[in-house]
Amino acid sequence: MSTRLARVVFDADRPRFIADFWAELLGWTVTMARPDKVDVAAPDPDGLDLALTFLPSAHPKDRKNRIHLDLASRSIDHQRVQLDRALSLGARRIDIGQGQVPWVVLADPEGNEFCVLDPREEYVDTGAVAAIVIDTHDPVRLARFWSAASGWPIAHGGPQEAGLRSATGIGSWLEFVRTPDVKSGRNRLHLDLTAFPDNPVDEVARLRAAGATQIGGGASRLALADPEANEFCLLRTASDYTTV
């Protein structure tokens, strides 16, 4: 298996505007800015974090995202600093039914949900993004698929939550949280994978055997969906991958 989890992609009404928000919030850098694509990455080229990409979309956000980012904090004071920074940049507090929890649920200026977590031991070495979180009806089933797709082993799994992490034990987690919500329409956030060496035909066959469905293709990427219809892309060449 030669596939790597490359980046998180946002559909955006104003790609450069929202990319600037996330770059400022995370302390990252806008590494490329074109009308059709804006990339944001950690300033350290050998950093632990995945890249973020923002693409223009003609479809405004009209429902809760099924994928969101959790931000790490080192202490309660650091969590407060992160919260104040997010609010000063244009984020707002939101209620998605979370109740009394130690983390804070926010939305970015285009309404994309994210969380500023309380300090937790499992996230001390993740970098700015503690986890990429995907809503699911069956955390274990979806974790098994994404483990096969990404090559990341399942670190924990149960009926309510499951998590993957790179075998190196560093970097962001990929987590799956049980929700009763039914997927409707296209996700505004999706994951991109890249194949090393470049061999998309074999990778598509392998991903389909693991439970993916091919839903489209283009000059630079192939569009697929996981077993719960969450869209993701397999980049055709490594040059389409923005390194961090």
Side-chain angles (χ1 to χ4, degrees), residues 22-244:
W22 281 98
E24 288 289 333
L25 179 61
L26 299 174
W28 292 6
T29 303
V30 174
T31 57
M32 182 181 71
R34 303 192 316 230
D36 63 334
K37 179 182 179 183
V38 183
D39 287 343
V40 172
D44 179 1
D46 297 319
L48 310 177
D49 301 280
L50 299 169
L52 306 181
T53 293
F54 301 84
L55 304 178
S57 172
H59 304 289
K61 185 177 186 295
D62 60 1
R63 61 182 68 88
K64 177 181 176 291
N65 290 337
R66 294 185 67 81
I67 300 176
H68 73 266
L69 303 183
D70 280 352
L71 275 55
S73 63
R74 299 186 297 272
S75 66
I76 295 298
D77 286 343
H78 184 229
Q79 183 187 26
R80 293 194 190 101
V81 169
Q82 296 251 70
L83 172 60
D84 290 345
R85 182 172 180 79
L87 295 173
S88 72
L89 290 170
R92 69 182 194 281
R93 293 176 181 265
I94 58 172
D95 185 349
I96 56 172
Q98 67 268 24
Q100 296 296 317
V101 293
W103 61 90
V104 183
V105 183
L106 302 172
D108 73 13
E110 290 198 354
N112 298 300
E113 302 85 1
F114 67 99
C115 296
V116 179
L117 298 181
D118 50 299
R120 305 181 195 182
E121 184 177 353
E122 62 267 36
Y123 300 136
V124 296
D125 55 1
T126 60
V129 178
I132 305 154
V133 183
I134 302 178
D135 291 350
T136 174
H137 292 288
D138 188 338
V140 172
R141 178 189 181 216
L142 210 58
R144 286 172 178 160
F145 169 80
W146 279 100
S147 179
S150 67
W152 291 7
I154 298 175
H156 61 85
Q160 298 300 318
E161 183 179 342
L164 313 180
R165 202 174 189 202
S166 168
T168 63
I170 56 176
S172 303
W173 288 73
L174 183 58
E175 296 183 336
F176 307 88
V177 176
R178 190 173 186 275
T179 175
D181 297 342
V182 176
K183 182 179 185 292
S184 175
R186 172 189 166 91
N187 287 342
R188 279 183 76 81
L189 274 71
H190 72 264
L191 303 181
D192 274 359
L193 305 177
T194 191
F196 292 96
D198 306 331
N199 194 356
V201 174
D202 288 350
E203 281 302 299
V204 168
R206 189 184 67 80
L207 291 168
R208 292 182 66 177
T213 303
Q214 187 170 348
I215 57 176
S220 63
R221 68 199 65 216
L222 297 167
L224 299 102
D226 71 16
E228 291 197 9
N230 297 301
E231 301 87 358
F232 68 96
C233 290
L234 178 67
L235 305 183
R236 287 184 181 273
T237 66
S239 62
D240 294 314
Y241 165 53
T242 301
T243 58
V244 295

